[in-house]
Amino acid sequence: MALSQAIMTALIEDDMSGYELAQSFDSSLGLFWRASHQQIYQELKKLSDKGHLNKREVSQTGKPNKIVYGLTQSGREALQQWVYQDSKVQEAKDDLLVKLYNLDASNVSHMVTELEGRRESMMQRLYLYERIRRRHYAEPDSLPIRRQGVYLALLGGIRNAEQYLSWCDEALKQLGAINSN
Amino acid sequence: MALSQAIMTALIEDDMSGYELAQSFDSSLGLFWRASHQQIYQELKKLSDKGHLNKREVSQTGKPNKIVYGLTQSGREALQQWVYQDSKVQEAKDDLLVKLYNLDASNVSHMVTELEGRRESMMQRLYLYERIRRRHYAEPDSLPIRRQGVYLALLGGIRNAEQYLSWCDEALKQLGAINSN
DNA sequence: TTTTTATATGCAAAGGCTTGCATAAGTGAT
DNA sequence: ATCACTTATGCAAGCCTTTGCATATAAAAA
């Protein structure tokens, strides 16, 4: 569980409000880590209670005011220490894999539909990743060190999406062969 | 969340006790879905309260007795219906990716260590998958339909492990270049 | 002017998962 | 006999996450 660290990480370079965090989680770090706004607000409360974040209200014109959070020194230290803690590999926990264990003649066509859906959304994700890569990481070697880390995470996302896509194709081919018999 | 379906899926072909389920989750379906014994016992209780599972005590010699669970008709139906429900793609939620956003000169060598650890455990996982594949799925096309589904899930695991492994290599190469400057 | 949409934050209840503890039967080693 | 280990099941507390609701400001559309 690293939601608190994911939030602190998102705040390393820019202070943000809960609402902005929820949105930034739709891109950037959120490519790998999704959280609902309730989860984020609850976690922000915990983190500022702990003293890892400070908050200030910012007036806005044309919009309701917002509460902007920033990393405190204590937060920065906690984050750096967390980096050194060992983390385990997580299982995929993908429903689709469990569903495949239930494959039978009557649900093959549904599985095909789901796989096509996955294929499509992975394709879109891959386009997005590649667009980010071309725009911001065209020459990774010349980037500052933290940005190189972000690039490696992005590359992880790209490789994973490529692999998932090609697995979908393999699986669809196999299911197609079943259906035509 | 599909722990309950994962458990029911594991019980499709063989009745099992909680203890056996916890162990079988170390292989087979558990390749993709891990659960602690407490989680499993709690879920078994819920599922039998719902009428999706039946239980019977089985005497054993040389060991304590066990409580063996089996899918009821109601359970089978619920599982089949679940297959038709749409499921979403899940994010990776991998701590390591968040950590990479925190890369700096002082923690590069730790990241290298973690990546080498991941590489090693992915390699072992891949060996395991390939062993299972050779032993049970050498000729996937000739398998009964349900087994072909299981094979596709296994193939997903294999492709994913291969990809993760090669990403580790890419990342380690990049981090090596940083460290030598 | 009422409704809808986007921005912005939050509470409360329910449900799921983790952690720590507790129990118990049986085997094997010291 | 005692200790350690494996098999086997479970409670209870705490924590995390999800779901549903609630509120409020302001712009834009109907």
Side-chain angles (χ1 to χ4, degrees):
Chain A
M1 204 284 313
L3 175 60
S4 65
Q5 287 84 6
I7 286 177
M8 289 195 282
T9 296
L11 296 174
I12 289 177
E13 293 182 345
D14 297 303
D15 291 3
M16 277 191 266
S17 69
Y19 193 84
E20 288 163 341
L21 269 167
Q23 286 190 314
S24 105
F25 267 38
D26 286 346
S27 57
S28 181
L29 233 192
L31 300 174
F32 317 115
W33 206 284
R34 229 152 255 285
S36 65
H37 82 267
Q38 292 90 340
Q39 221 181 136
I40 288 171
Y41 286 124
Q42 285 171 35
E43 198 62 44
L44 284 172
K45 191 175 186 316
K46 276 183 227 162
L47 286 171
S48 58
D49 284 352
K50 269 193 204 164
H52 289 347
L53 300 181
N54 54 42
K55 56 173 164 178
R56 57 180 205 283
E57 194 165 350
V58 172
S59 298
Q60 299 189 109
T61 56
K63 294 175 194 174
N65 295 350
K66 62 183 176 181
I67 299 168
V68 170
Y69 292 84
L71 263 183
T72 60
Q73 190 54 34
S74 145
R76 269 173 218 282
E77 283 162 14
L79 193 52
Q80 276 306 310
Q81 279 170 30
W82 169 75
V83 168
Y84 287 94
Q85 282 171 31
D86 256 10
S87 55
K88 310 151 205 161
V89 201
Q90 287 217 318
E91 309 312 317
K93 292 223 176 178
D94 186 336
D95 285 7
L96 188 53
L97 297 179
V98 179
K99 285 189 182 178
L100 280 171
Y101 274 68
N102 288 278
L103 184 71
D104 65 34
S106 67
N107 61 30
V108 172
S109 65
H110 175 75
M111 295 289 187
V112 167
T113 307
E114 278 217 52
L115 272 163
E116 282 166 347
R118 294 295 176 104
R119 196 184 181 289
E120 178 60 24
S121 63
M122 273 299 152
M123 192 108 84
Q124 282 179 13
R125 184 181 290 190
L126 193 54
Y127 282 141
L128 172 62
Y129 287 178
E130 287 289 6
R131 209 157 56 233
I132 295 172
R133 183 189 194 173
R134 253 177 276 120
R135 201 171 291 175
H136 300 289
Y137 303 96
E139 282 179 77
D141 293 345
S142 62
L143 290 169
I145 187 160
R146 186 186 302 283
R147 283 271 137 207
Q148 289 196 39
V150 177
Y151 167 72
L152 289 178
L154 178 65
L155 197 62
I158 290 174
R159 295 286 176 255
N160 188 63
E162 286 171 344
Q163 169 272 312
Y164 201 97
L165 209 54
S166 86
W167 171 74
C168 284
D169 288 335
E170 271 188 280
L172 283 168
K173 198 178 153 197
Q174 181 93 18
L175 292 184
I178 291 173
N179 244 356
S180 63
N181 289 341
Chain B
M1 203 284 314
L3 175 60
S4 64
Q5 287 82 6
I7 287 176
M8 288 196 283
T9 297
L11 295 175
I12 290 177
E13 292 182 344
D14 297 302
D15 291 3
M16 277 192 265
S17 68
Y19 192 83
E20 288 161 344
L21 269 167
Q23 286 188 313
S24 104
F25 267 39
D26 286 345
S27 57
S28 179
L29 234 191
L31 300 174
F32 318 114
W33 207 285
R34 227 153 257 285
S36 64
H37 82 269
Q38 292 90 338
Q39 221 183 135
I40 289 170
Y41 286 123
Q42 285 171 33
E43 198 62 44
L44 285 172
K45 190 174 185 316
K46 275 183 229 162
L47 286 171
S48 57
D49 284 352
K50 266 192 207 165
H52 289 348
L53 301 180
N54 54 42
K55 56 173 165 177
R56 58 180 205 282
E57 194 167 349
V58 172
S59 299
Q60 299 189 109
T61 55
K63 292 176 195 173
N65 294 350
K66 63 183 176 182
I67 300 168
V68 170
Y69 291 85
L71 263 183
T72 61
Q73 189 54 32
S74 145
R76 270 173 217 283
E77 281 161 17
L79 193 52
Q80 275 307 309
Q81 278 170 30
W82 169 75
V83 167
Y84 286 94
Q85 280 171 31
D86 257 9
S87 56
K88 310 149 206 161
V89 201
Q90 287 217 317
E91 309 312 315
K93 294 223 175 178
D94 187 335
D95 286 5
L96 190 51
L97 297 178
V98 179
K99 285 190 182 177
L100 280 170
Y101 274 68
N102 288 278
L103 186 69
D104 65 32
S106 67
N107 60 29
V108 173
S109 64
H110 175 74
M111 295 289 189
V112 167
T113 307
E114 279 217 53
L115 272 163
E116 283 168 346
R118 294 296 176 102
R119 195 184 183 289
E120 177 61 25
S121 63
M122 273 299 154
M123 192 109 82
Q124 281 178 14
R125 184 182 290 192
L126 193 54
Y127 281 142
L128 171 63
Y129 288 178
E130 286 290 3
R131 209 157 56 233
I132 295 171
R133 184 188 194 173
R134 253 177 277 119
R135 202 171 290 174
H136 300 290
Y137 304 95
E139 282 178 79
D141 292 346
S142 61
L143 289 167
I145 189 161
R146 185 186 302 284
R147 282 272 136 206
Q148 289 196 40
V150 177
Y151 167 73
L152 289 177
L154 178 65
L155 198 62
I158 289 174
R159 295 287 176 256
N160 188 63
E162 285 171 345
Q163 167 273 311
Y164 201 98
L165 209 53
S166 85
W167 171 73
C168 284
D169 287 338
E170 272 187 281
L172 282 167
K173 199 178 153 199
Q174 181 93 16
L175 292 184
I178 292 173
N179 245 355
S180 64
N181 290 342

